Amino acid sequence: MRISPTGTGGQYSGTAGRVENCQLGVFLAYATGRGRTLIDRELYLPKSWIADRARCRDAAVPDEVEFATKAALATTMLARALESGVPASWVTADEAYGQDSKFRTWLEQHRIGYVVAVPRSQSIPAMTGSARADHAAEQAPEQAWKRRSAGDGAKGPRLYDWAVASLPAGEHTPPGWTRWLPIRRQITNAGKEPELAYYLCCGSEDTKDAELVGVAGARWAIEECFQSAKKEVGLDRYQVRRYDAWYRHITLAMLAHTYLAVTAAITPKPWQRPHPSHPRRNPPSPGTPDPAA
């Protein structure tokens, strides 16, 4: 008899871009100007798994584990990070999380700014009632679009045209904060219909459009972490079946990936190292000011 890995089922895979019989994990990445790494993880268990407690016990799933949406798992990980003292000003996520109102509300209640992707059909608050995100894009005048970089990619700056609309504050929006709807338009050749992407944002009212665009671009950090973790530490190279074994493998792989990320961040770059003709001086004694510091 063949035992399927814990959590396996017919579900949408972002990697494949379609519904497949697969296993899904929810990950939390931390990104700064000096590097990025994965800092937390949760295995997503579909309702069909949670409903079969005997199957769960065979896979070593604890009895106290209940069904949780991907957005709820993400909220749990964010709470752990904040309680551990991880400094964070912004949270960014894709549509699976951005369209969840409970997820956005939790961030506002904890005064964490966010820039989250939403589908074109997303209902957004307007001065009178609500409207769809794509309808707001249709009403944006051409002069509202500004060409901005969402960060550097493998081929240079990620340039798009952006329009940012202000939205009314919500029930849970902190004082002095506001909401926005940034719309990203792909730069295309004449005659082609440009692709649009939509984001809901909340943050301090003095936040500049360029900062929102930069945070939106930071979401690629999770993909870059996956790519490097799979290549360098074997994040996806496992054949485990049980719930506890998945956590052991993933946790050890994340630890190794973080070690590499920190080492890369603190190791002097070639242009920062002393020239061979100028050997490094002996370090000063403890408590002695270093005039070269």
Side-chain angles (χ1 to χ4, degrees), residues 13-163:
S13 166
T15 302
R18 60 180 180 271
V19 174
E20 284 193 343
N21 188 47
C22 61
Q23 184 186 58
L24 297 179
V26 180
F27 290 82
L28 181 65
Y30 189 69
T32 73
R34 302 188 65 183
R36 61 279 315 273
T37 190
L38 301 170
I39 63 172
D40 207 346
R41 73 287 172 259
E42 288 289 351
L43 180 61
Y44 172 72
L45 297 179
K47 289 182 178 180
S48 58
W49 266 84
I50 294 299
D52 191 342
R53 300 314 305 192
R55 186 186 190 188
C56 284
R57 293 188 187 97
D58 289 341
V61 179
D63 290 341
E64 61 268 21
V65 173
E66 299 180 351
F67 174 75
T69 65
K70 299 180 185 69
L73 293 175
T75 301
T76 297
M77 292 190 291
L78 285 168
R80 283 200 293 251
L82 295 176
E83 290 169 2
S84 299
V86 175
S89 301
W90 293 94
V91 166
T92 182
D94 63 22
E95 291 182 10
Y97 309 91
Q99 63 185 336
D100 190 300
S101 60
K102 293 181 180 179
F103 180 70
R104 300 194 308 270
T105 296
W106 186 90
L107 292 171
E108 292 186 27
Q109 290 175 333
H110 288 77
R111 298 184 66 87
I112 298 294
Y114 62 79
V115 179
V116 293
V118 293
R120 61 185 299 173
S121 59
Q122 178 70 38
S123 176
I124 58 171
M127 295 303 178
T128 56
S130 61
R132 283 172 51 118
D134 54 355
H135 293 168
E138 294 171 357
Q139 298 171 10
E142 191 57 35
Q143 60 267 28
W145 298 93
K146 306 295 182 183
R147 188 152 300 181
R148 301 179 186 274
S149 171
D152 290 336
K155 300 180 180 180
R158 295 184 174 106
L159 290 174
Y160 297 92
D161 290 332
W162 294 81

